Amino acid sequence: MNNRRTVFLFVLCSLAAVAASAQHFIGVSSGYGINTLSSSIHADMRPVRSWNNYGIVYKFYGSAPLWSEGLGAHVGTGLQSAVNLTTRGYQRDSTAIFRYRAIEIPFMTHLHVSVWKFRLVGAAGLYMSYLLDGTQAELDPYVPTTVVVSEGDYAFQPTDRRFDYGLRFGGAIALMLHPVEIQFDIHYAVGLGYTHDPVVPGQFTVYNRFSQIIFAVNAFIVL
C-alpha cells in the first residue's frame, strides 16, 4: 500500500462530506483501549489494556440528505475530529510491559443513518499522534501470572520515533436527546509509521507498528 496515496484518498473523501450548512457538536470522550505492537523481531507480543483514554471531540453533519428520505430515515455524511490523550503499549512475551502516553488527533469521515432517536454511524479516516512519555515494567518470567519486578520511566532512544500516523475506522451508535447526544464508538487504529528507525546502524532492521482497539463513550452538546 502506498501510504501517501492512502492519506490523499481519505482527505478527498473527507472534503467531499463538507456541506454548505451543517449541524455542529462538541463533546468529551472516555474509552477503554486494547493495545499491541506488530514486530519483525519479537514473535510473542501480547496486548495491554488501559482506561486512560480521554478526549475533546468535535463533529458536524451536513443537513442535506444523500437521497430523498424514506421510512423516516435520514442518510447523510459528516466529519469528526478530536484531541485525545490516549495510551499506546504492548507486552513483550513474559518479560516486560511498555506503556506510552500519546496525544492523538483523528480525522474521520462519517456516513450516518438516523431513525427516530437513534443514529448509526460508519467511520473511516486517519490519525496522527505523538508519544509524550512512557513507562517500562520488568516482569518475573518464571511466574505464570503477571508479576511486576520493577517499573520506571521509559528513556526514549535516538532510534525511537515518537511521531506516528495511521488508519482509523469503525462504527458507532448514538442516542439523540436534543440538545444532548450520547455516542458509543468502537474503532480500530493501525499505525502506518514505525515506532523505531527501521535501520539501526551496526545492529539489525526493526519494523514495529502500533495498533489499538478503542471502545469509547462520547457525550455531545448540539451547538
Side-chain angles (χ1 to χ4, degrees):
M1 177 184 294
N2 187 308
N3 291 346
R4 291 183 179 178
R5 290 182 180 177
T6 302
V7 171
F8 183 66
L9 177 62
F10 274 112
V11 169
L12 287 181
C13 292
S14 298
L15 290 177
V18 177
S21 60
Q23 190 174 28
H24 299 263
F25 305 77
I26 188 73
V28 293
S29 176
S30 179
Y32 172 75
I34 302 174
N35 310 273
T36 191
L37 186 80
S38 59
S39 174
S40 63
I41 59 172
H42 295 287
D44 188 4
M45 290 296 190
R46 306 174 189 178
V48 297
R49 295 163 172 80
S50 174
W51 286 101
N52 298 319
N53 303 281
Y54 311 101
I56 299 173
V57 190
Y58 166 78
K59 70 175 180 176
F60 73 83
Y61 288 146
S63 59
L66 288 181
W67 51 76
S68 299
E69 298 184 15
L71 300 178
H74 175 99
V75 181
T77 58
L79 298 175
Q80 179 173 313
S81 188
V83 178
N84 296 326
L85 179 62
T86 188
T87 300
R88 301 271 190 264
Y90 61 95
Q91 179 176 335
R92 188 182 62 203
D93 50 59
S94 58
T95 61
I97 295 176
F98 298 86
R99 288 188 173 91
Y100 308 92
R101 286 195 313 158
I103 289 290
E104 177 193 68
I105 301 177
F107 188 74
M108 311 281 290
T109 300
H110 278 193
L111 176 66
H112 62 91
V113 180
S114 302
V115 179
W116 191 50
K117 293 185 179 296
F118 294 95
R119 195 193 311 270
L120 299 177
V121 180
L126 307 168
Y127 76 85
M128 297 180 295
S129 68
Y130 179 77
L131 300 181
L132 298 173
D133 52 36
T135 61
Q136 178 176 348
E138 301 298 328
L139 306 178
D140 186 342
Y142 302 105
V143 178
T145 57
T146 301
V147 175
V148 176
V149 176
S150 63
E151 185 172 7
D153 294 338
Y154 178 79
F156 286 99
Q157 303 300 311
T159 53
D160 287 327
R161 290 184 171 180
R162 300 173 74 169
F163 283 102
D164 189 23
Y165 68 99
L167 303 178
R168 184 177 171 122
F169 51 90
I173 182 170
L175 177 62
M176 299 179 290
L177 303 170
H178 193 84
V180 175
E181 183 166 314
I182 307 299
Q183 181 174 298
F184 302 89
D185 290 351
I186 176 171
H187 285 160
Y188 176 71
V190 57
L192 297 179
Y194 299 117
T195 64
H196 299 81
D197 190 328
V199 178
V200 181
Q203 298 183 42
F204 41 73
T205 302
V206 180
Y207 298 100
N208 293 337
R209 289 174 171 169
F210 284 121
S211 64
Q212 181 185 58
I213 298 175
I214 285 285
F215 302 89
V217 180
N218 306 320
F220 291 100
I221 294 292
V222 182
L223 301 179

